[in-house]
Amino acid sequence: MITQLNPPLPMETPKGPALAHFLIDYGPETHLMWVCFLDENGQCWTVPNPEVRMQSNWSLQRRFRKAPSNVQPLPAVERA
């Protein structure tokens, strides 16, 4: 099943900040897949659920906090 997100959601991905426009659910045996367009260059990537995080939003009280010890941080992004 594919769901179009309206409005798109700002996400942090291993490739950098992006807007998620679609969510793909292949069923119970796989992760949700986020279809994201990168802010930097507009590239489209499909990213598994464990590798994305919502971007912070100070106005919505979603601020950067120290992650709990059981949450793995996203890998560092190399920028050219």
Side-chain angles (χ1 to χ4, degrees), residues 29-67:
E29 297 294 323
T30 185
H31 291 295
L32 296 172
M33 303 296 285
W34 297 85
V35 180
C36 301
F37 292 86
L38 299 182
D39 293 352
E40 182 178 346
N41 54 21
Q43 289 180 342
C44 180
W45 290 91
T46 302
V47 187
N49 197 57
E51 296 182 28
V52 296
R53 299 290 183 270
M54 291 292 297
Q55 288 181 1
S56 68
N57 184 318
W58 190 84
S59 296
L60 296 177
Q61 307 298 317
R62 194 171 53 246
R63 300 182 177 133
F64 287 114
R65 296 187 180 125
K66 185 177 178 184

Side-chain angles (χ1 to χ4, degrees), residues 3 12 20-21 44 51 67:
T3 303
E12 291 292 338
H21 284 266
C44 180
E51 296 182 28

